[in-house]
Amino acid sequence: EVQLVESGGGLVQPGGSLRLSCEASGFTFNNHAMSWVRQAPGKGLEWISSIFSGYDSYYANSVKGRATISRDNANATVTLQLNNLKTEDTAMYYCAKGGCSFNCDAADSWPRGQGTQVTISS
């Protein structure tokens, strides 16, 4: 059974930074792309970043230049560093098993965790 547990969310002021982490289990982590997706209040799921097993990484335009995704295969974790946070980054952030490089229509179908809330406010 795929299990994904996110952590690291919280309340941050605009311009601040956060590091989100996801611990994965129940599958061969090394063999799978991993992603971060988010859902803002009243909006649909938005793909924001993927990292593939070969460490190639991709970002949505909304976070490009402000986000860095990384993975640690030895510990089955995937991390998202978000800098220069904006109020529009407020959302529930989910770690997901799956990946894409652009306009990820399939993100809704990927297994994901319970999420970690990120709120950007002064």
Side-chain angles (χ1 to χ4, degrees):
E1 179 188 0
V2 173
Q3 290 195 327
L4 302 166
V5 179
E6 301 93 340
S7 62
L11 173 64
V12 181
Q13 291 187 341
S17 298
L18 272 178
R19 187 175 180 85
L20 307 180
S21 295
C22 170
E23 297 182 6
S25 62
F27 63 101
T28 305
F29 183 81
N30 299 13
N31 293 347
H32 292 274
M34 298 296 296
S35 296
W36 286 92
V37 298
R38 67 186 181 186
Q39 188 163 23
K43 295 189 177 180
L45 200 67
E46 178 191 12
W47 169 79
I48 54 175
S49 183
S50 294
I51 185 166
F52 286 77
S53 56
Y55 296 92
D56 289 346
S57 57
Y58 301 90
Y59 301 91
N61 288 338
S62 58
V63 300
K64 196 171 290 183
R66 302 188 295 122
T68 303
I69 192 171
S70 58
R71 64 187 296 157
D72 179 348
N73 286 341
N75 292 302
T77 58
V78 58
T79 300
L80 183 72
Q81 175 74 34
L82 278 170
N83 301 319
N84 190 21
L85 286 159
K86 306 175 182 181
T87 54
E88 52 263 43
D89 292 319
T90 294
M92 185 70 80
Y93 284 70
Y94 300 93
C95 170
K97 175 178 171 283
C100 64
S101 57
F102 183 73
N103 285 351
C104 299
D105 294 337
D108 281 358
S109 66
W110 300 337
R112 56 184 184 263
Q114 294 298 308
T116 185
Q117 177 68 40
V118 171
T119 302
I120 312 304
S121 175
S122 55

